[in-house]
């Protein structure tokens, strides 16, 4: 009986956490959509604490939009998901460009283009 109660308790905690994450995700999307990028970044960071790379990516993107390029750069670097590598590298290039670290930006764009051809990435590379 104690095991059943314990398992039910764990399930309740998981469901409660999931509901909170969905609420936070909804708030983060609304904040981003309304241009409140700093609030959006903070909300996405809450979701990203469990290692959610998509939430990290969205938080980094919001930080970039808020003009916090160094913070965005740090967060983009922490993303390990293979599915987000192209986007990560492209956005690292954007951050480095805004920070006027042009050699690093060029390297990131070149690495991104090794993964996938992209006209925006090519344009940014040619611009530098």
């Amino acid at each position: 009986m104690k095991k059943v109660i314990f398992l039910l308790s764990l399930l309740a905690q998981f469901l409660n956490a999931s509901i909170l994450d969905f609420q936070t995700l909804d708030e983060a999307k609304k904040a981003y959509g309304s241009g409140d990028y700093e609030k959006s970044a903070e909300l996405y960071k809450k979701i990203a604490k469990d290692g959610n790379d998509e939430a990290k990516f969205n938080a980094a993107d919001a930080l970039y939009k808020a003009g916090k390029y160094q913070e965005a750069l740090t967060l983009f670097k922490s993303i390990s998901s293979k599915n987000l590598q192209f986007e990560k590298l492209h956005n690292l290039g954007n951050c480095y460009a805004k920070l006027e670290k042009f050699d690093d930006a060029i390297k990131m764009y070149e690495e991104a283009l090794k993964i996938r051809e992209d006209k925006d990435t090519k344009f940014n590379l040619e611009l530098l």
Side-chain angles (χ1 to χ4, degrees), residues 9-50:
S9 171
L10 283 177
L11 179 61
Q13 288 174 357
F14 172 76
L15 290 174
N16 190 37
S18 294
I19 291 168
L20 291 175
D21 282 351
F22 283 122
Q23 290 172 337
T24 305
L25 179 60
D26 189 48
E27 289 178 47
K29 287 178 181 179
K30 285 180 183 173
Y32 189 94
S34 68
D36 191 350
Y37 301 117
E38 289 186 37
K39 179 179 179 182
S40 178
E42 290 308 311
L43 292 167
Y44 277 121
K45 282 182 191 178
K46 284 183 182 180
I47 300 168
K49 284 184 181 179
D50 295 330

Side-chain angles (χ1 to χ4, degrees), residues 64 69 73 89-109 124-125 127-128:
Y64 179 87
Y69 307 119
L73 181 76
L89 292 167
H90 175 91
N91 286 300
L92 284 171
N94 291 346
C95 290
Y96 280 126
K98 289 290 190 177
L99 294 167
E100 298 184 4
K101 295 181 179 182
F102 302 119
D103 289 340
D104 291 327
I106 289 168
K107 287 178 194 173
M108 294 301 105
Y109 292 138
N124 291 355
L125 179 59
L127 207 59
L128 295 179

Side-chain angles (χ1 to χ4, degrees), residues 51-116:
N52 183 325
D53 275 348
E54 288 182 30
K56 281 185 197 178
F57 183 88
N58 290 335
D61 182 54
L63 287 167
Y64 179 87
K65 295 264 189 183
K68 296 186 172 193
Y69 307 119
Q70 187 60 53
E71 283 183 64
L73 181 76
T74 300
L75 201 49
F76 278 127
K77 284 181 178 181
S78 74
I79 295 169
S80 60
S81 171
K82 295 287 183 196
N83 294 335
L84 294 170
Q85 285 307 297
F86 170 80
E87 292 82 359
K88 169 188 169 176
L89 292 167
H90 175 91
N91 286 300
L92 284 171
N94 291 346
C95 290
Y96 280 126
K98 289 290 190 177
L99 294 167
E100 298 184 4
K101 295 181 179 182
F102 302 119
D103 289 340
D104 291 327
I106 289 168
K107 287 178 194 173
M108 294 301 105
Y109 292 138
E110 288 173 342
E111 289 299 312
L113 289 169
K114 288 178 185 176
I115 296 171
R116 178 178 1 157

